[in-house]
Amino acid sequence: QVQLVESGGGLVQPGESLKLSCTAPRFTMGSYAIGWFRQAPGKEREGVSCISATDDSTDYADSIKGRFTIFRDKAKNTVYLQMNSLKPEDAGVYYCAINQRRLECPLPTYDYWGRGTQVTVSS
């Protein structure tokens, strides 16, 4: 069973940072491209970032480009999303996900994702 576990969300003020983590207890994350998407109330799901399985190349949504960084720690079997200069519009539940048929970014659809981690940006 594919299981993804997100963590690291929280409440921060605008301009502050958070680092989200995504782990997979039962498979090697390096075997897949890993994507992050977010869901805010009343908004469509938005793909935020992705890191490829083959060469760790990355992809970012225009809305977060230059502020967020996705990277892997293969020794820890973890993918991170470093989020800097957070804005209120970044708030939402963040999910990490895979598409079992894709090793490269971007991920057009997602087959599996975790329960998500809540990010709240408010003064």
Side-chain angles (χ1 to χ4, degrees):
Q1 181 181 359
V2 177
Q3 182 184 8
L4 293 155
V5 181
E6 304 92 342
S7 63
L11 170 63
V12 296
Q13 294 187 349
E16 294 186 337
S17 299
L18 281 173
K19 183 180 177 182
L20 306 184
S21 301
C22 173
T23 61
R26 299 190 180 92
F27 69 92
T28 301
M29 297 186 75
S31 300
Y32 298 96
I34 304 296
W36 284 94
F37 68 89
R38 65 189 180 189
Q39 182 77 60
K43 294 185 179 180
E44 291 188 359
R45 186 169 68 181
E46 179 186 16
V48 172
S49 185
C50 177
I51 185 165
S52 295
T54 54
D55 60 1
D56 284 353
S57 58
T58 57
D59 190 59
Y60 297 97
D62 289 341
S63 59
I64 57 88
K65 203 169 290 183
R67 299 187 294 121
F68 291 11
T69 304
I70 187 171
F71 58 100
R72 295 181 188 268
D73 184 331
K74 292 183 179 179
K76 295 183 178 180
N77 200 37
T78 301
V79 171
Y80 300 97
L81 184 67
Q82 177 67 48
M83 307 189 298
N84 298 330
S85 302
L86 282 161
K87 303 176 180 180
E89 53 263 42
D90 294 319
V93 181
Y94 282 69
Y95 302 86
C96 63
I98 66 168
N99 180 315
Q100 288 188 303
R101 298 168 298 281
R102 299 276 297 193
L103 299 179
E104 302 289 342
C105 299
L107 299 180
T109 58
Y110 308 110
D111 295 326
Y112 298 98
W113 53 91
R115 294 186 176 184
T117 186
Q118 177 73 49
V119 172
T120 304
V121 185
S122 176
S123 54

